[in-house]
Amino acid sequence: MAWKKSPPELIAAFEKATPADPSVTSRPMFGYPALFLKGNMFAGTYQDKIVVRFGDDRTFPGAKTAKEYLVVPEAVVKSPAKLRSWIDHAHGYAKTLPAKKAR
């Protein structure tokens, strides 16, 4: 099965929701835009979805889970304020993680 590129409008919404923290870096993960803090990915796009890393926190209703990551529901993606809230929550979780060592 071939991977699909993320639609430009999804990438634009994702980029607008990026935290203003200067420690946050943006770089591709598996060819998709992703956000990192201290070397830890905490949000990214994957095909036509946005995923966020919440750890064990599963209090956000309507999200599908994949280990520590949640797939952001489409209704949240379509609301800039809600999407920013989800990405900010993931950013807060990333702040609790130890820095990854450079390879």
Side-chain angles (χ1 to χ4, degrees):
M1 178 172 78
W3 287 9
K4 299 181 283 185
K5 288 184 178 183
S6 295
E9 58 275 3
L10 182 78
I11 293 171
F14 178 72
E15 289 174 346
K16 283 183 183 178
T18 298
D21 181 347
S23 300
V24 171
T25 58
S26 179
R27 68 176 191 262
M29 179 66 132
F30 304 117
Y32 296 101
L35 300 174
F36 294 81
L37 182 68
K38 300 182 291 183
N40 294 293
M41 182 180 145
F42 66 90
T45 68
Y46 175 73
Q47 297 191 22
D48 61 348
K49 306 281 186 243
I50 292 177
V51 295
V52 291
R53 187 176 184 186
F54 283 6
D56 293 331
D57 184 355
R58 299 289 186 250
T59 59
F60 284 73
K64 294 179 184 176
T65 62
K67 294 187 181 182
E68 296 187 307
Y69 291 87
L70 300 176
V71 176
V72 179
E74 191 174 333
V76 172
V77 173
K78 290 181 178 181
S79 167
K82 288 179 183 176
L83 179 58
R84 180 174 298 278
S85 173
W86 281 56
I87 291 179
D88 284 346
H89 189 84
H91 178 230
Y93 173 68
K95 289 178 181 179
T96 70
L97 299 172
K100 281 197 169 180
K101 295 183 180 180
R103 291 183 179 188

